[in-house]
C-alpha cells in the first residue's frame, strides 16, 4: 500500500474520524494523477468541529502546563520517528524533492519542540500601583477556541507553526488545511492523538468550500481567534469578516522579498544565499527572493555565477532521487509564472535561462533567469511563486533601498555586504519584518516570523509566537 493510501482521509472531529457527504480529489503535481479522495467538510461539519473544540476548551486550559509540554514533546519525538513517511506524503501532495520535504518535516517538528519548552514559561508580572495602596498583577490566559487556516506550500510546517503555540497556550482549535494538501494535516491529527492530545482539542476539516466553512465559523460567537497563513487578498477579506465578532487575528500574508547585493558583497556567498532564497520549494515560498537588486559593479559576476548554478539544476518529480526542482503546485500556477516571464520580456527584460514550461505530464517550470527587469513590471510587483530569478542592476545603495521598499509587502528582505556598518544601516532602512544579512534563509522555530505593511499582523515562532494565543488579564489586588 502506498503512503498516500495509508493516510487518513476523513474529517477529524472530537477525536474520531468521520465521513462527510462528499469527497474531493487530491492530485500529485508531478503526474496530475489522483492520489487520494478526502472528506469535504461543509458549514455544519465545521460547526460540529467547533462544538468539539469549545467543549474541550475549559479542560485543556486547566491542564497543567507541564502536561501540555510533555504531550508536545512526545509529538516532536513521534514526528521525528515518522519523518520519512511524512516527507514522502508531503512530496506526493505538493511535489517538491524529497530532500526538501525532509527539511520541512524537521522544521515542522522544531515548532513542537520549541513550544513544548515555552508551555511552562507562560508568565505574568507584579507591580505596586503608583499610589502604593494596591497591587497590579498580570496573568496570561488562553484566548480560547481558535480557527487556523493554512496554505499548501509547506503543508506541515505552516500547520505546526500555529498548532504548537496554540496547544502550549492551552487553546483548542479547528484546522482547515489547504485543499491541495490536506493529507499532511490529517496525518498530523493521527500523530497528535498518539502523542496524547485529548479528544476535541485538535480538529481538522479539509474542504473544497473554504468560504462557506469559514463563514460558518467566523459567525459563531464561541470562536475567539483566527490565525491565517495565505495570500494578502484572502487575508484582507478575512480581516473584514472577523470585524463583527472582534476576533483576535494573526495574519501571515504574501511577501515580495528584495535581495540586495551591494558592491562590496562576497559574490560567491551571495550566489549561495540566492540559491536558497530563490529555489527552496521551487520559489513557492512567501520568503522567496522575488527581486534581485544588484549593484552594477558586481552585476555581471553575480548574474553569470547564478546562471551557472541554476542551469545545473535538475527538474523532475520529487520522488526521483536526482530531482532538485519539483513541479509547481498546479497548471494554473505554472501558467501564471509563464505569463509573468513573457510579460517581463515584452517590457524589455532579457531571458538568460529557461523561460519555457516543460512539456507535461505534471506542472513543471524550469529554473529561469531574467536580467534588465524594469521596476514597474508585474514580475517585480507580484509574488512570482516560481523558480524565476529577476535581476535589475543599480548604481548606488540609496536607489537599491528605495527600490526594495517600493512595494506594499514587507515580509522579508535580504542584503549582502562585507561592511557591518552598511549591513546595519541598510537592514534598518529596509521595510520588512525580517532581514537576512549575508544569509538567504531566516526561518527558524526560535525566531519571530512575520511581516509589516500588507504582509500581515503578528508573529509566529520565537518568544513572541505564544502571545498570539494568550490574553493578558490584570488583577487589581487591594493590599
Ligand atoms: P490562498 O490565500 O489562496 O489560500 C490560503 C488558505 O486560505 C487555503 O487554506 C485556502 O483554502 C484558504 N482560503 C482561500 N479562500 C478563502 C476564503 N474565501 N475564506 C477562507 N479561506 C480561504 O493562498 P495559497 O495560494 O494557498 O498560498 C500562497 C500564499 O500564501 C502566498 O501569497 C504566500 O506568500 C502566502 N504565505 C505566507 C506565509 C507567511 O508566513 N507570511 C507563509 C506561506 C505562504
Amino acid at each position: 500500500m502506498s503512503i498516500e493510501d495509508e493516510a487518513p482521509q476523513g474529517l477529524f472531529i472530537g477525536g474520531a474520524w468521520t465521513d462527510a457527504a462528499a469527497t474531493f480529489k487530491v492530485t500529485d503535481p508531478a503526474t496530475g494523477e489522483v492520489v487520494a479522495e478526502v472528506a469535504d467538510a461543509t458549514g455544519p461539519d465545521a460547526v460540529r468541529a467547533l462544538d468539539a473544540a469549545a467543549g474541550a476548551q475549559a479542560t485543556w486550559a486547566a491542564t497543567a502546563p507541564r502536561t501540555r509540554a510533555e504531550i508536545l514533546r512526545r509529538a516532536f519525538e513521534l514526528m521525528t520517528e515518522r519523518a520519512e513517511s511524512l516527507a514522502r506524503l508531503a512530496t506526493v501532495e505538493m511535489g517538491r524533492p524529497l530532500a526538501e520535504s525532509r527539511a520541512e518535516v524537521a522544521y515542522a517538528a522544531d515548532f513542537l519542540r520549541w513550544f513544548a519548552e515555552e508551555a511552562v514559561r507562560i508568565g505574568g508580572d507584579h507591580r505596586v500601583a503608583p499610589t502604593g495602596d494596591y497591587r497590579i498583577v498580570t496573568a496570561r490566559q488562553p484566548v480560547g477556541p481558535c480557527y487556523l487556516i493554512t496554505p499548501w506550500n509547506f503543508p506541515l510546517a505552516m500547520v505546526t507553526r500555529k498548532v504548537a503555540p496554540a496547544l502550549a497556550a492551552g487553546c483548542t482549535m479547528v484546522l482547515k488545511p489547504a485543499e491541495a494538501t490536506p493529507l499532511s494535516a490529517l496525518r498530523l491529527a493521527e500523530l497528535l492523538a498518539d502523542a496524547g492530545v485529548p479528544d476535541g482539542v485538535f480538529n481538522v476539516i479539509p474542504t473544497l468550500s473554504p468560504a462557506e466553512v469559514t463563514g460558518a465559523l467566523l459567525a459563531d460567537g464561541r470562536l475567539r481567534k483566527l490565525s491565517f497563513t495565505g495570500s494578502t487578498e484572502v487575508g484582507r477579506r478575512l480581516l473584514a469578516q472577523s470585524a463583527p465578532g472582534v476576533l483576535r487575528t494573526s495574519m501571515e500574508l504574501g511577501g515580495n522579498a528584495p535581495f540586495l547585493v551591494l558592491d562590496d558583497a562576497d559574490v560567491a556567498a551571495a550566489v549561495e544565499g540566492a540559491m536558497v532564497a530563490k529555489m527552496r520549494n521551487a520559489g513557492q515560498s512567501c520568503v522567496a527572493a522575488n527581486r534581485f537588486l544588484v549593484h552594477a559593479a558586481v552585476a555581471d559576476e553575480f548574474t553569470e555565477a547564478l546562471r551557472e548554478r541554476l542551469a545545473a539544476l535538475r527538474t523532475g518529480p520529487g520522488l526521483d532521487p536526482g530531482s532538485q526542482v519539483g513541479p509547481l503546485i498546479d497548471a494554473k500556477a505554472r501558467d501564471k509564472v509563464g505569463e509573468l516571464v513573457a510579460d517581463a520580456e515584452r517590457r524589455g527584460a532579457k531571458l538568460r535561462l529557461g523561460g519555457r514550461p516543460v512539456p507535461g505530464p505534471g506542472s513543471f517550470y524550469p529554473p529561469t533567469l531574467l536580467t534588465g527587469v524594469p521596476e514597474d513590471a508585474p514580475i517585480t510587483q507580484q509574488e512570482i511563486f516560481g523558480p524565476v530569478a529577476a535581476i535589475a542592476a543599480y548604481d548606488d545603495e540609496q536607489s537599491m533601498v528605495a527600490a526594495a521598499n517600493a512595494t506594499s509587502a514587507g515580509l522579508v528582505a535580504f542584503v549582502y555586504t562585507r561592511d557591518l556598518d552598511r549591513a546595519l544601516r541598510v537592514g534598518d532602512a529596509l521595510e520588512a519584518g525580517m532581514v537576512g544579512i549575508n544569509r538567504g534563509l531566516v526561518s527558524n522555530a526560535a525566531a519571530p516570523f512575520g511581516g509589516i505593511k500588507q504582509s500581515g499582523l503578528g508573529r509566529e515562532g520565537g518568544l513572541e509566537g505564544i502571545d498570539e494565543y494568550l490574553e493578558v488579564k490584570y488583577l487589581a489586588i487591594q493590599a
Side-chain angles (χ1 to χ4, degrees):
M1 208 196 252
S2 66
I3 279 165
E4 56 276 19
D5 289 334
E6 288 167 26
Q9 303 183 1
L11 309 177
F12 188 70
I13 298 178
W17 293 100
T18 62
D19 289 335
T23 60
F24 68 92
K25 295 178 171 56
V26 180
T27 53
D28 176 349
T31 61
E33 280 168 18
V34 175
V35 293
E37 295 221 5
V38 166
D40 184 4
T42 58
D45 291 324
V47 172
R48 278 199 302 121
L50 183 57
D51 291 344
Q57 179 57 56
T59 311
W60 185 240
T63 300
R66 177 71 74 202
T67 305
R68 298 200 301 263
E70 283 167 356
I71 290 172
L72 277 164
R73 176 71 203 190
R74 179 79 190 121
F76 162 74
E77 284 159 5
L78 286 177
M79 190 168 281
T80 307
E81 279 167 27
R82 299 177 189 178
E84 193 58 23
S85 78
L86 286 165
R88 289 185 75 86
L89 190 62
T91 285
V92 166
E93 65 177 350
M94 76 75 61
R96 72 155 97 77
L98 200 46
E100 288 194 54
S101 287
R102 291 188 184 115
E104 187 200 349
V105 176
Y107 178 45
D110 245 0
F111 287 103
L112 298 168
R113 175 168 56 183
W114 175 260
F115 285 106
E117 290 156 357
E118 289 301 290
V120 290
R121 312 204 197 295
I122 299 167
D125 68 10
H126 166 268
R127 303 159 232 181
V128 175
T131 44
D133 56 344
Y134 71 98
R135 289 158 198 263
I136 295 168
V137 172
T138 64
R140 294 196 294 163
Q141 296 183 320
V143 67
C146 303
Y147 178 37
L148 315 176
I149 304 179
T150 51
W152 51 264
N153 61 344
F154 291 91
L156 205 53
M158 295 302 94
V159 174
T160 57
R161 203 166 73 173
K162 297 184 190 305
V163 170
L167 287 174
C171 294
T172 62
M173 65 211 79
V174 177
L175 166 70
K176 193 210 78 58
E179 42 275 55
T181 58
L183 300 176
S184 298
L186 294 171
R187 255 282 149 81
L188 179 69
E190 192 180 60
L191 185 152
L192 291 177
D194 291 348
V197 172
D199 294 351
V201 171
F202 179 68
N203 306 278
V204 188
I205 50 162
T207 181
L208 258 196
S209 315
E212 180 201 335
V213 157
T214 300
L217 292 177
L218 296 185
D220 192 311
R222 294 170 300 172
L223 189 74
R224 296 308 322 136
K225 159 103 195 177
L226 166 67
S227 178
F228 172 76
T229 298
S231 60
T232 301
E233 186 193 345
V234 173
R236 218 180 265 128
R237 215 176 307 151
L238 293 175
L239 277 172
Q241 267 181 277
S242 301
V246 195
L247 280 183
R248 283 277 301 270
T249 55
S250 301
M251 293 279 147
E252 293 285 349
L253 308 178
N256 180 2
F259 188 107
L260 283 67
V261 185
L262 303 187
D263 50 335
D264 64 351
D266 175 339
V267 173
V271 169
E272 206 55 52
M275 289 298 288
V276 178
K278 181 73 251 179
M279 295 307 294
R280 194 164 66 116
N281 241 9
Q284 301 172 108
S285 162
C286 55
V287 288
N290 211 54
R291 303 169 285 150
F292 288 92
L293 315 179
V294 185
H295 196 282
V298 291
D300 287 347
E301 185 188 352
F302 176 82
T303 302
E304 192 42 39
L306 184 61
R307 200 192 70 77
E308 267 178 37
R309 291 287 299 276
L310 291 173
L313 293 175
R314 225 188 107 197
T315 303
L319 289 179
D320 176 343
S323 296
Q324 291 162 297
V325 185
L328 300 187
I329 190 69
D330 56 27
K332 197 170 147 222
R334 180 197 58 201
D335 295 347
K336 186 199 141 197
V337 173
E339 180 40 44
L340 285 173
V341 171
D343 172 82
E345 280 188 86
R346 284 195 294 274
R347 290 168 191 266
K350 196 163 165 222
L351 186 65
R352 305 286 301 274
L353 181 73
R356 304 290 171 256
V358 181
S363 40
F364 291 94
Y365 195 89
T368 293
L369 186 76
L370 290 164
T371 53
V373 178
E375 240 177 70
D376 60 350
I379 201 164
T380 69
Q381 303 292 320
Q382 300 174 21
E383 287 183 292
I384 303 171
F385 250 58
V388 180
I391 300 180
Y394 290 81
D395 290 324
D396 63 86
E397 178 189 307
Q398 258 184 333
S399 56
M400 290 167 85
V401 171
N405 289 339
T407 167
S408 59
L411 190 56
V412 66
F414 303 94
V415 56
Y416 275 75
T417 169
R418 283 193 172 97
D419 179 335
L420 183 59
D421 284 341
R422 274 184 110 183
L424 294 176
R425 183 171 68 229
V426 173
D428 283 349
L430 289 170
E431 295 170 358
M434 302 174 283
V435 179
I437 295 179
N438 295 326
R439 235 191 111 72
L441 181 67
V442 297
S443 308
N444 190 311
F449 190 104
I452 61 168
K453 294 162 83 175
Q454 293 185 22
S455 286
L457 301 168
R459 294 293 180 269
E460 291 190 324
L463 298 173
E464 296 81 356
I466 200 165
D467 290 337
E468 304 284 320
Y469 297 92
L470 292 166
E471 293 283 13
V472 174
K473 179 176 276 180
Y474 147 50
L475 306 172
I477 303 175
Q478 191 64 45

